[in-house]
Amino acid sequence: MTQTISINPELLIGRGRDRACYRHPDDPDFCIKVGTKPEKQTRREKRYFLYLLRKGVDMRFIAPYMGDIKTSHGTGALFPLIHDDNGEVSLTLTQTIKANQIDRGTLNRKLDQLYRYLVDNHICTRDVSPNNIMVRRRAGQIDFILIDGVSRPNLNPLSIRLPALAKRSVDKCWVSLMQKVNKLTTATVVPLHAA
Ligand SMILES: Nc1ncnc2c1ncn2[C@@H]1O[C@H](COP(=O)(O)OP(=O)(O)O)[C@@H](O)[C@H]1O
Ligand SMILES: [Mg+2]
């Protein structure tokens, strides 16, 4: 019999539009996402992750779905918890910019790196916002990890196999991502050089 994981409010890391994300009570390397809305989109996302896993796609800069888990709040989805090397949950890009913890050069370079990674690996995305990127700091290095928004853009089965369509989905996301990032940086004074 599978065990039911007991979730309590103290474990809450953050809430998005559709899901609440909790620390796994027994394992510091995992988090559990519980839906607050109907699961249609999530099902599509899960299937897409399983497809990427089967294809052996490089998962370096995305947090892959790792299966379902029974919780006191209903069925949850298991993901690796993105944390810094001090054990703290990493900040989202929104929190990082607001807290003035990144310089403009690093911000541009890391966004560029994430963009190239997604396009080179033909990974489709939708809705990539600064709330869906974690800024992970390990061994003096910063990496941007996409924790939400890896998804097939539509129901066309061809769209996950055609590199041009994957690029198109990422390009579309990047326009609105950059608008959001620029809005955040103009509202905050982001230093030009190392923070
Ligand atoms: N893998 C993760 N590691 C650490 N924190 C996470 C992770 N996934 C989500 N979070 C936190 O939880 C919030 C909501 O999760 P998210 O998956 O974006 O939900 P939604 O699909 O509703 O937008 C994020 O903005 C982030 O703060
Ligand atoms: Mg989100």
Side-chain angles (χ1 to χ4, degrees):
M1 202 180 76
T2 47
Q3 190 196 349
T4 299
I5 304 284
S6 180
I7 282 177
N8 67 60
E10 277 164 33
L11 297 168
L12 184 72
I13 299 169
R15 270 178 204 285
R17 248 189 328 218
D18 311 311
R19 300 179 291 187
C21 179
Y22 297 91
R23 287 168 183 274
H24 192 298
D26 309 316
D27 193 325
D29 285 328
F30 291 100
C31 60
I32 302 170
K33 300 192 189 185
V34 184
T36 49
K37 291 218 185 101
E39 293 271 330
K40 201 167 146 218
Q41 185 60 44
T42 311
R43 268 208 309 278
R44 205 203 291 176
E45 273 176 25
K46 287 175 182 175
R47 276 211 301 273
Y48 186 51
F49 268 117
L50 297 178
Y51 166 81
L52 294 177
L53 276 171
R54 265 202 319 276
K55 247 183 49 171
V57 168
D58 174 3
M59 300 279 193
R60 204 170 346 160
F61 296 127
I62 57 182
Y65 161 67
M66 303 184 77
D68 283 347
I69 192 164
K70 221 161 82 182
T71 82
S72 51
H73 287 35
T75 302
L78 194 66
F79 286 87
L81 175 76
I82 307 303
H83 58 77
D84 297 346
D85 51 12
N86 61 7
E88 298 280 323
V89 178
S90 303
L91 297 183
T92 64
L93 183 55
T94 303
Q95 292 166 332
T96 302
I97 294 173
K98 283 187 173 167
N100 230 322
Q101 286 189 12
I102 194 160
D103 63 87
R104 187 82 229 194
T106 309
L107 176 62
N108 289 342
R109 215 170 48 249
K110 290 292 157 181
L111 283 171
D112 234 46
Q113 183 183 40
L114 183 61
Y115 171 84
R116 280 262 55 99
Y117 157 82
L118 293 168
V119 171
D120 289 349
N121 289 286
H122 316 317
I123 296 171
C124 298
T125 58
R126 53 170 275 281
D127 190 26
V128 179
S129 93
N131 294 323
N132 294 339
I133 295 172
M134 307 296 287
V135 179
R136 188 181 64 192
R137 293 169 194 266
R138 281 189 190 168
Q141 187 179 317
I142 291 183
D143 282 314
F144 282 11
I145 312 288
L146 190 59
I147 47 96
D148 177 25
V150 172
S151 183
R152 283 169 58 181
N154 53 50
L155 292 172
N156 179 352
L158 271 182
S159 67
I160 53 174
R161 296 200 174 82
L162 295 178
L165 290 181
K167 180 173 186 302
R168 196 186 299 164
S169 76
V170 178
D171 282 343
K172 203 169 141 199
C173 288
W174 235 253
V175 174
S176 66
L177 172 66
M178 291 314 294
Q179 278 169 356
K180 286 176 187 151
V181 166
N182 289 335
K183 216 163 149 188
L184 280 167
T185 52
T186 43
T188 324
V189 186
V190 173
L192 269 175
H193 300 291

